[in-house]
Amino acid sequence: MRKYGWDSFKNLIFTNPAVVDQDPHVGNGDENTERGNWATKREYILSTIGYAVGLGNIWRFPYLAYKNGGGAFLIPYFVMLVVTGIPLFFLECAFGQFCSQGPINIWRAVPILQGVGVAMVMVTLIVSIYYNVIIAYSLYYMFASFQSPLPWSSCFSWGDSNCSSTPTVSCNISGVVVSNWTTENSTCPSSDVVSGSVQSPSEQYWDRVALQRSSGLNETGPVVWHLALCLLLSSILVAAALIRGIKSSGKVVYFTATFPYVVIVILLIKGATLEGARDGIEFYIGSQSNLTKLTEAQVWKDAATQTFYSLSIGWGGVMTLASYNNFHNNMFKDSFVVTLTNAGTSVLAGFAIFSILGHMAHIYKMPVSEVVKEGFGLAFIAYPDALSKLPISPLWSILFFFMLLTVGLDSQFAGIEVITTCLLDAFPKVFKSKRALLTLTTCAILYLLGLPCVTQAGIYWVTLIDQFVASWVLLVLALLEIIGVCYIYGGNRFIKDIEMMLGKKSFIFWLWWRTCWFFLSPCIIVVILVWSLMTFTPPSYGEVRFPLWGLALGWCMVVFILLWIPVVAVYKIMKAKGSPWKRFKSLCSPSEEWHPYLDVHRGERYTEERCRGRKQARVRPEDAECQFISSLNLLFAITCWDR
C-alpha cells in the first residue's frame, strides 16, 4: 500500500470514536511528539488553575467586594462568571486544543484577525514585565520577614517625624490646632476634628525603604539595587521552571499551585481566632452587606471586569496551555473545574484577609473601612502591618509573602509560555532544538525591560502599565475574539470542531453556549467597554498625579497593542490575490493550514473539506488519496452497520 493510503487508513481508524476510546496513546504521554503534550491531565489542571489564580484573587477581589456592598457583590460576580467567564474560558480552551497552536497561529481560522493574536502576545509581554516586578516585591518582603521584630513593626531609624505607630487626632480649638487631643477632660466636636498627616510604620517602610519612592514620574532616580537583585532572582526562578517548557513547569506547579491554599487556610484559621475578626468578616460578607448596591451599574461593571481579569481571558495564556492537551481531552469539564476553583479561591482569600484586618481595626480602635486599602496598599502596607501585631509575627509574614510569591510565579509561568510558544510555532525548525536557550533569552530580555520598574520611580511605571494595559484593552481583544470565532469563522462550525474532540452533543446542550457566545457575552462586553470609556479618569498613584507625558505614554502602549490588528489585516489583504472583495472574503475563511495538528485527528470532515477545495482538473496523487479515503469511509460505514 502506498504511503498516502496507509496514512489515510490510520486517519480513518483512529478518529473513529469507537476506536479512539481504546487508543492507548490518547490521554497517556505525548500523542503529539513534534510539539509535546502535558505529561498528565493533573499537570494541565494545576497549571491552568495557577495561571488563573493570581494576585488579583488575593488583593483585588476582597477590596471590590468591600467597596461594592460586601456579600451583595457575590451576586453580580457569580452572574458574570456564568454568562461571560465560563463560556469564554470554555471557548478559549476549545480553540487552543483543537489546532494545538499558540494565540497567533490559532487565527489561521480567521486570517484577517491574526493581529488579535499578536495583540494578545503584546499584552502578555508588557504585563509580564511588571508582574515580574511584583514578584520581586514579594521576594524582598519575604527576605525582610526573617527578622524579629519585623522591620516595619515600629518606626526605626528610617522613619521621619510623621511616622507613628498610633494614629493622632487634632482638634481645632478657637482657631488653634491642638495635636494628640485626648478626651479625658473635654470632647472635641466632630466638626472641629482635623485629620493629621501621620503615616504608619508599614506605610513609611514601603515608601522609604522598599521602594525608596521618588516624588513622581518626572523624578526617575537611580535603580533600587535590592529590588533589582530580587527581580534577577525572580527571573532565574521562572527560567529554571520553564527550561524544558511544560515538561518542567508541569512538575513545579504541583507545589506552586497547591501551597497557596495551605497558607490561605492557615491564615484563615489563625485570623478567625483573633479578637475583632468577626467585625472584619461581617464587613466583608456579613450583616453589613448592602443589597441596594445591586442597582448601581458600577457594581456590575466591577464584577465583569474582575471576572475577565481573574480568569485571564483575552491574554492568550488559556489558549496556549490548552494547546498542549491531547486532542480528545474533555476541556468542557476542565473549564468548570478551573473557573469555579478560581472563584472559590477569591472568596476564601477574602475571609483570610478580612479576618486579620478586623483584628487590626480592633487594635487601632478604628472602623475596618479605614484599614482597607486597594492593591499594593493592601498587600504591602495594611496586611503586613496587621501581621506585625500577631504573636510570632515573622512566621506569619514569611508565609503570607511566600504565598504571594507562588501565586505570582504560576501566572508568570503561563505568560512566558505564551511568548515562547508563539516563537516555537512560528519558527519550529529554528527553535525546536533550542527551547532552553529561547526561554533563557526571553527571561533575560524581560529582566532588562523591568529595570526601569525598580528605579525610585518604578512604582509609577508599574501602576501606569497596570491601569492602561491590563484593563479595558482586554475587553477589546475578548470582543474581537468572539466576533472572529462565532460570527466570521462560524459558531456552528466551531461547535462541530468541538464535537470532533468531545463527541456528539444534544441541541439542548449547545443552546446555552450559543446564547452566551452569540448574544449575552458580546453584549455585556460592549456595555462594559462603553461604560469604561465614558467614565475613564486619569490614573494616579495615591495622591500623586501622572504628568501629561506619562498619560500620553500610557495611551501609546494601548495604541501599540491594538495597532497590530489593522496593520496585520492590511498586510494580509495586500499579500492576497484577486479583487479586493475576493481577497477580503478569502481572509475571512479558514486557511489551508487550519486543521487539527495531527493527521490522525483530522478525520473525514477535514479531509473532505480539503478535497473539495482542490480546483485543479488534473488528477494528482493527493486527489487519488481523497478518492481512496472516500471509498474507505463508505466501506467502514457499511462494516459498522452490519455489526
Side-chain angles (χ1 to χ4, degrees):
M1 184 179 291
R2 294 181 61 181
K3 184 179 185 300
Y4 65 78
W6 172 242
D7 289 341
S8 304
F9 181 74
K10 289 191 299 180
N11 187 19
L12 172 66
I13 295 297
F14 287 114
T15 50
N16 184 279
V19 181
V20 165
D21 292 337
Q22 303 171 11
D23 183 3
H25 296 290
V26 175
N28 280 311
D30 288 354
E31 68 175 13
N32 189 337
T33 56
E34 294 180 16
R35 201 167 177 273
N37 297 104
W38 294 101
T40 64
K41 174 72 168 285
R42 191 181 301 109
E43 292 183 8
Y44 165 67
I45 293 294
L46 289 176
S47 296
T48 311
I49 289 176
Y51 178 50
V53 176
L55 298 169
N57 300 73
I58 306 300
W59 68 40
R60 198 168 187 266
F61 178 85
Y63 178 81
L64 288 177
Y66 141 72
K67 189 181 77 169
N68 293 303
F73 179 71
L74 295 183
I75 297 175
Y77 175 72
F78 279 100
V79 168
M80 290 299 173
L81 180 69
V82 170
V83 299
T84 61
I86 297 177
L88 293 183
F89 196 91
F90 177 35
L91 182 147
E92 289 199 355
C93 284
F95 205 29
Q97 182 175 308
F98 180 76
C99 66
S100 300
Q101 293 289 299
I104 294 181
N105 281 1
I106 204 172
W107 287 102
R108 291 169 176 170
V110 189
I112 200 169
L113 289 181
Q114 198 160 32
V116 175
V118 179
M120 288 179 175
V121 176
M122 292 299 106
V123 168
T124 300
L125 175 65
I126 297 174
V127 169
S128 295
I129 295 171
Y130 92 86
Y131 218 85
N132 211 19
V133 175
I134 298 176
I135 297 174
Y137 294 159
S138 303
L139 275 170
Y140 173 76
Y141 267 81
M142 186 184 73
F143 292 142
S145 299
F146 284 92
Q147 302 178 51
S148 184
L150 291 173
W152 54 83
S153 60
S154 184
C155 296
F156 295 106
S157 58
W158 41 261
D160 61 16
S161 58
N162 291 327
C163 181
S164 176
S165 299
T166 56
T168 60
V169 179
S170 301
C171 188
N172 188 347
I173 303 176
S174 301
V176 179
V177 177
V178 180
S179 299
N180 296 324
W181 180 263
T182 62
T183 58
E184 293 179 0
N185 300 320
S186 60
T187 302
C188 179
S190 59
S191 59
D192 294 329
V193 173
V194 180
S195 59
S197 58
V198 170
Q199 293 179 309
S200 67
S202 61
E203 185 175 359
Q204 286 216 345
Y205 184 87
W206 168 246
D207 284 337
R208 297 170 65 87
V209 180
L211 298 180
Q212 299 179 15
R213 180 165 66 91
S214 65
S215 60
L217 198 59
N218 288 318
E219 185 185 351
T220 301
V223 170
V224 181
W225 287 106
H226 58 255
L227 291 180
L229 292 174
C230 289
L231 184 66
L232 178 61
L233 178 57
S234 170
S235 302
I236 292 173
L237 290 174
V238 173
L242 294 172
I243 198 71
R244 294 179 56 239
I246 61 170
K247 297 302 182 185
S248 54
S249 66
K251 302 297 183 292
V252 176
V253 294
Y254 278 105
F255 176 77
T256 57
T258 56
F259 181 76
Y261 293 96
V262 176
V263 177
I264 290 174
V265 171
I266 291 174
L267 291 175
L268 176 59
I269 295 173
K270 177 61 180 178
T273 62
L274 299 174
E275 195 172 2
R278 182 176 179 179
D279 295 335
I281 292 177
E282 283 191 354
F283 188 86
Y284 167 53
I285 204 169
S287 59
Q288 298 186 33
S289 296
N290 185 4
L291 292 176
T292 60
K293 284 278 189 178
L294 298 179
T295 60
E296 299 179 11
Q298 181 67 31
V299 177
W300 293 86
K301 170 185 172 294
D302 285 346
T305 304
Q306 173 62 16
T307 301
F308 280 91
Y309 183 89
S310 184
L311 292 176
S312 303
I313 294 172
W315 300 60
V318 176
M319 297 177 186
T320 301
L321 296 178
S323 70
Y324 292 102
N325 279 331
N326 292 331
F327 185 75
H328 292 288
N329 171 64
N330 192 335
M331 89 298 292
F332 172 71
K333 293 181 180 178
D334 297 346
S335 301
F336 275 93
V337 170
V338 175
T339 53
L340 295 180
T341 300
N342 176 74
T345 303
S346 297
V347 176
L348 181 65
F351 281 106
I353 296 291
F354 274 87
S355 62
I356 293 183
L357 292 182
H359 175 64
M360 185 178 177
H362 172 76
I363 292 176
Y364 281 145
K365 307 298 183 185
M366 63 194 311
V368 181
S369 60
E370 297 182 18
V371 178
V372 177
K373 295 183 179 180
E374 185 183 10
F376 300 112
L378 175 61
F380 297 107
I381 297 177
Y383 207 74
D385 194 9
L387 294 175
S388 68
K389 305 294 188 293
L390 302 180
I392 326 176
S393 55
L395 172 63
W396 306 115
S397 186
I398 292 170
L399 286 175
F400 176 73
F401 288 110
F402 191 59
M403 175 187 68
L404 288 187
L405 171 65
T406 53
V407 298
L409 285 174
D410 279 335
S411 299
Q412 188 72 349
F413 290 162
I416 304 299
E417 195 62 50
V418 169
I419 300 169
T420 56
T421 295
C422 288
L423 292 173
L424 283 166
D425 290 342
F427 309 101
K429 295 181 180 179
V430 177
F431 292 122
K432 184 178 180 180
S433 60
K434 301 181 179 66
R435 177 156 200 149
L437 180 61
L438 177 62
T439 300
L440 292 173
T441 304
T442 303
C443 292
I445 292 174
L446 288 176
Y447 170 74
L448 295 175
L449 293 175
L451 286 177
C453 296
V454 291
T455 60
Q456 291 183 348
I459 190 64
Y460 304 119
W461 290 109
V462 170
T463 304
L464 200 67
I465 295 173
D466 180 60
Q467 294 293 322
F468 277 99
V469 177
S471 58
W472 54 267
V473 175
L474 300 175
L475 298 177
V476 175
L477 297 180
L479 179 63
L480 291 174
E481 182 180 80
I482 295 177
I483 293 174
V485 174
C486 297
Y487 288 96
I488 301 179
Y489 178 73
N492 292 331
R493 178 180 182 137
F494 182 57
I495 287 173
K496 290 180 181 179
D497 291 341
I498 298 176
E499 288 183 338
M500 288 178 64
M501 298 181 283
L502 297 181
K504 191 71 175 177
K505 300 293 181 180
S506 66
F507 174 80
I508 300 299
F509 174 87
W510 290 117
L511 181 61
W512 167 251
W513 303 109
R514 280 192 173 99
T515 304
C516 291
W517 290 338
F518 282 92
F519 179 70
L520 291 179
S521 296
C523 288
I524 290 172
I525 293 174
V526 169
V527 170
I528 296 170
L529 185 59
V530 173
W531 179 265
S532 298
L533 293 175
M534 290 176 59
T535 59
F536 175 80
T537 55
S540 62
Y541 180 79
E543 297 180 356
V544 179
R545 301 290 178 181
F546 292 115
L548 290 178
W549 67 265
L551 297 176
L553 187 60
W555 286 111
C556 285
M557 287 190 286
V558 173
V559 172
F560 171 74
I561 293 170
L562 298 181
L563 193 62
W564 287 98
I565 301 171
V567 166
V568 173
V570 170
Y571 174 78
K572 291 278 186 180
I573 291 175
M574 292 175 61
K575 294 284 288 184
K577 298 179 180 180
S579 64
W581 171 246
K582 185 177 180 181
R583 295 183 184 191
F584 179 78
K585 186 177 179 181
S586 65
L587 291 174
C588 290
S589 303
S591 67
E592 293 184 0
E593 292 81 14
W594 169 253
H595 47 61
Y597 192 91
L598 299 178
D599 289 337
V600 72
H601 294 137
R602 293 173 193 173
E604 178 181 349
R605 177 164 165 257
Y606 271 84
T607 302
E608 289 183 351
E609 288 182 2
R610 185 178 60 179
C611 294
R612 286 197 299 268
R614 301 196 185 280
K615 305 292 185 180
Q616 292 82 356
R618 184 171 58 89
V619 177
R620 297 176 299 176
E622 291 86 351
D623 300 314
E625 176 184 350
C626 293
Q627 297 173 5
F628 178 80
I629 293 170
S630 300
S631 302
L632 269 182
N633 287 341
L634 178 61
L635 177 62
F636 191 83
I638 295 173
T639 304
C640 293
W641 178 264
D642 291 339
R643 290 181 180 178

